[in-house]
Amino acid sequence: METTLNMPGTVALPDVHHGEEHEHHHHHESFISKYIFSQDHKTISKQFLITGIIWAIIGGLFSVLFRLQLGYPDSTFPWLEDILGRWAPGGKLSAEFYYALVTMHGTVLVFFVLTAGLSGTFSNLLIPLQIGARDMASPLLNMLSYWFFFAAGVVMLSSLFIQTGPFSGGWTAYPPLSALHDASPGSKLGVDLWITSMALFVVSSLLGGLNYIVTVLNMRTKGMTMTRLPLTIWAFFFTAVLGVLSFPVLFSGFILLLFDRNLGTSFYLSDIFIQSTERALPNEGGSAILYQHLFWFLGHPEVYIILLPAMGMASEILSTNSRKPIFGYMAMIGSLFAITILAFLVWAHHMFVTGLNPFLGAVFVLLTLLIAVPSAIKVFNWLTTLWRGNIRFTPAMLFAIGFVSLFISGGLTGIFLGNSALDIHLHDTYFVIAHFHIVMGVASFFGMYAGVYHWFPKMFGRQLNNTLGYVHFWGTIVCAYCIFWPMHYEGLSGMPRRYYDFSQWKTFNQFGELNKFITIVSILSFALQILFVFNFFYSIFKGRKLQTKNPWNSNTLEWTTPINAGHGNWPGEIPEVHRWAYDYGKDGVDHIPQTVPVGAHESKDH
């Protein structure tokens, strides 16, 4: 139907009736069709978020358990045996289960929380709302993307309860540990379940990513040109492109791994001798390095699949709460695009110690250091947006500023690791752990928290408790730096990662007290996240009800929908867009929403 807008906010009567019929139709949905097998993007985003929160608690708990071993290698905790049984005989984690915990912690946090929980939540919530669409291009595929993710989670969880235990070969699943049933107890059925779970997860990501791309390209409302899109949408769009192009490569790597495990092929295996059975395997001609290429061809874009949504949301939140236009909008889009391209060209910097040709290594060093340029542009533009802004320190704003801080400090150590000569010393040490936890893990969590605090009112029609939000922020950022910053020094001294017990090494005995300190802080940090979880679920039901549609005085379209919008988002006609999303403090006006027509005497900034 033609848009019959006379002025912003007024709509023709037939459209209102059409909208009311649309709303009325959806009030007759059953509980199952509305909340479980929902095709409403807003409900699906909540499903992704709550599932992600549950997995974050599980993954965080794993890290607390293995930190106990690292901080107190000579102590026993009888309650551990009560909980874990034979995995913690005498109250001390078995070495095998320690490695399983490390493996599952990495897998769960990287894929289930920071990929599905972050991108799945906010791409679903914001893409239709911010571009002016009723829903995703395919609500059915959108629903399926969540249920494939859910199925992946069920399979992964089930691997924790089988007799031989979960997979314990590291979250990267390098062969031969992952390719041979006899390599270790953690290389048996747990690996097959792990690979099956990850295959289901890849299907979920592809269904979601294709949906996001098509929705952004085809379903924007009238007036919403690509250069009027909020930076959040640009970030989600490039994230989806990264996922669609790189996840199939990982999928192929997993399929070949399943073949090697169960069908006697030799894609990754060659010249293997198994000591426990005192026999040589017949496999010839395979290459374990091939798997590394296939894994890291996804693995490095994966870093940006996690980071880009956080970058987009931080841009939106920083601009909104600085009451200033985002600085360098086109440069921000250009740097997102550059990061997307370069993310595909740097994967072998994870492989400098594999015997890579030094000339090829030099090419990857150059490309790795080159990716610092668009990252630096983004940091400069965020800081310039904050500069002399009329800043409101909401919990969301604090987490967005915290994200920028972590991205800078964590990113700087990437310059060390990107240099192939230095990386020979630092590879597989605690320096690597410190770097990627700060820049990818904690920074992305901060972006995710910023998004939850900022858009919680849009999701649930209520406010989170601000006091708990401030406690959560300050406690978490202090804990994050106290946990991961000291690890740089451990790594510089050569302390290797994934070791079960350092107490017998004279070289690393000096870090005994430091490891104890890190363990205590990690337990405190975990408690702070439980505080956030309490705040989140309590506020869904008991939080302060929203009194206005636009609590942050923001310009983007999602704040023009009703407080508790039905399926379809807008009753009546979808609003038309007349300007970009960042007209804050323009011509003496605090904020001008995208739906307001450009005035004749308005200054032409954009």
Side-chain angles (χ1 to χ4, degrees), residues 409-471:
S409 57
L412 286 172
T413 55
I415 296 171
F416 291 65
L417 294 169
N419 184 313
S420 58
L422 278 174
D423 187 64
I424 289 169
H425 174 65
L426 296 173
H427 182 82
D428 260 351
T429 67
Y430 268 66
F431 194 94
V432 176
I433 292 182
H435 161 69
F436 81 77
H437 273 86
I438 289 178
V439 77
M440 187 182 90
V442 185
S444 300
F445 259 111
F446 269 56
M448 190 174 183
Y449 285 137
V452 171
Y453 280 101
H454 191 74
W455 281 287
F456 186 91
K458 187 73 260 165
M459 297 177 91
F460 298 103
R462 293 175 184 267
Q463 293 274 26
L464 284 159
N465 182 297
N466 271 0
T467 306
L468 291 180
Y470 292 129
V471 172

Side-chain angles (χ1 to χ4, degrees), residues 23 59 79 87 117 125 143-144 158 297 339 416 470 496 515 571 605:
E23 291 294 308
W79 54 270
W87 297 117
L125 177 71
M143 178 189 79
L144 286 174
S158 69
F297 191 82
I339 287 170
F416 291 65
Y470 292 129
N515 278 334
D605 291 335

Side-chain angles (χ1 to χ4, degrees), residues 326-365:
I326 194 80
F327 184 86
Y329 174 83
M330 293 306 290
M332 289 294 241
I333 296 171
S335 57
L336 282 171
F337 180 67
I339 287 170
T340 303
I341 299 297
L342 287 167
F344 284 106
L345 303 175
V346 296
W347 79 89
H349 70 209
H350 297 269
M351 300 168 59
F352 286 146
V353 298
T354 59
L356 194 70
N357 181 307
F359 175 74
L360 199 57
V363 173
F364 279 98
V365 169

Side-chain angles (χ1 to χ4, degrees), residues 304 307-308 311 315 318 327-328 331-340 342 367-385 403-412 415 439:
Y304 294 100
L307 270 172
L308 289 186
M311 288 177 173
S315 302
L318 289 170
F327 184 86
M332 289 294 241
I333 296 171
S335 57
L336 282 171
F337 180 67
I339 287 170
T340 303
L342 287 167
L367 291 166
T368 300
L369 298 181
L370 208 55
I371 210 165
V373 176
S375 301
I377 290 169
K378 298 196 78 63
V379 167
F380 176 80
N381 287 5
W382 286 325
L383 296 179
T384 317
T385 302
F403 166 79
V404 176
S405 161
L406 289 154
F407 184 70
I408 295 169
S409 57
L412 286 172
I415 296 171
V439 77

Side-chain angles (χ1 to χ4, degrees), residues 22-78:
H22 190 81
E23 291 294 308
H24 182 68
H25 167 70
H26 281 281
H27 286 165
H28 288 297
E29 288 183 321
S30 67
F31 177 85
I32 288 177
S33 66
K34 187 170 184 181
Y35 293 108
I36 299 176
F37 295 110
S38 173
Q39 295 189 26
D40 181 354
H41 70 99
K42 298 184 294 299
T43 304
I44 293 170
S45 82
K46 294 172 192 172
Q47 290 175 321
F48 268 107
L49 180 58
I50 291 169
T51 310
I53 286 173
I54 292 166
W55 272 114
I57 295 168
I58 295 169
L61 193 58
F62 289 162
S63 67
V64 168
L65 290 174
F66 69 68
R67 276 301 331 169
L68 278 176
Q69 165 59 32
L70 291 169
Y72 300 90
D74 301 322
S75 305
T76 57
F77 302 92

